[in-house]
Amino acid sequence: SSLLLMSGVVVTVGLCRRLARRRLRSRPQLFAFLVEMFSTFQICACTNELSLLGNVEPKPHTALTLTYGFTVLHGLTLTGSTCNPCATLQPMCDGGTSLRMGGLKIAAQFVAAVLARVFMHFIWSLEMAEPHLGALSQGCSDPMQTTEVQAFCIELLFSVVFQLAVLRAESVNPKYRVHLIALLITMLVYAGGNLTGAIFNPALAFSLHADCFYDNFFSYLRVYWMAPSLGKFLIFMHL
C-alpha cells in the first residue's frame, strides 16, 4: 500500500508538472513557482512515507533499498527542479538566478513541505496500511540522537559532501549521474541516519519533523536550516 501511495504521488506530480508546462509557459514566475512546489511536494510526501518504513524487516536493508530506488525515481522525474533551499542559493549567489526568482522557488519549497505534511497526515489518519497505524500519535519523533553540536557538524558535513558531489557529477552522463547521486544519498543516510536523519535539506526537514521545530525551534533551526546553508556558503566561497 505504501509503494502504491508513493507511486501515485509520483504519477500525479508528473501530470501536474506537464500541465503547468503546457499552460503557463507565458508566465515564467508562476510556472517556476508551481513546478518547484509540485516537485518538492513529491520528495517530501514520499520521504514522509519512507520514514514510516524504517523499521520494516530486514533492517536496514529495506529502508536503504527504498531510499535508493525512490531517489533514482525523483532524479529521473524531477529534472530542472532543485527541491532544496540550499541548492537554490547557488545560482542566486553567482548571479544565475535573480533574487526574486530564487525567493519564489524557496517559498514554493516550504509551501510544498507544509502541504506534503498535511496531505500525508490525512492519508495516515485513514490507516490504510499497517505502518500508518498510530503514526499520528508519535508527535516529535526526534531525529537528533546526539548532541546539538555533533548534529550540526554532521548536517554541515553531509551538505558539503552532497553539494560537492552534485557539482562534480555535472559532467557525467545524466543516466549514470542519477544513480551516482542516489548511491551517495543512500550512503549518507546509512552513515548518519541514526544520528540526525541525514536530511541536509531545510524544507524536507521541516516537512518531516515540524513537531520538533515547534518544540525546540532554535536547536532545529541551527541543525537543519543553518548547517546545510552554511555548507552551501562554504562551497560557494571555495569556488
Side-chain angles (χ1 to χ4, degrees), residues 141-156:
S141 53
D142 194 347
M144 202 186 304
Q145 299 299 312
T146 183
T147 66
E148 183 180 329
V149 172
Q150 290 177 331
F152 182 93
C153 293
I154 290 171
E155 287 293 309
L156 172 62

Side-chain angles (χ1 to χ4, degrees), residues 128-174:
M128 297 185 298
E130 184 176 348
H132 299 172
L133 301 177
L136 296 180
S137 62
Q138 293 179 1
C140 170
S141 53
D142 194 347
M144 202 186 304
Q145 299 299 312
T146 183
T147 66
E148 183 180 329
V149 172
Q150 290 177 331
F152 182 93
C153 293
I154 290 171
E155 287 293 309
L156 172 62
L157 174 63
F158 283 6
S159 177
V160 169
V161 170
F162 175 70
Q163 297 298 338
L164 281 176
V166 170
L167 290 175
R168 299 301 182 188
E170 287 181 350
S171 59
V172 178
N173 187 308

Side-chain angles (χ1 to χ4, degrees), residues 21-68:
R21 189 171 291 110
R22 288 180 177 178
R23 300 293 180 86
L24 298 174
R25 278 297 190 182
S26 60
R27 304 178 67 181
Q29 291 185 347
L30 179 59
F31 171 74
F33 180 89
L34 289 177
V35 169
E36 194 66 31
M37 185 184 72
F38 293 144
S39 302
T40 308
F41 177 89
Q42 175 177 313
I43 288 180
C44 290
C46 290
T47 308
N48 267 279
E49 185 68 16
L50 284 173
S51 68
L52 296 182
L53 304 179
N55 293 322
V56 174
E57 296 291 348
K59 296 189 296 185
H61 305 84
T62 300
L64 292 174
T65 300
L66 290 173
T67 297
Y68 175 81

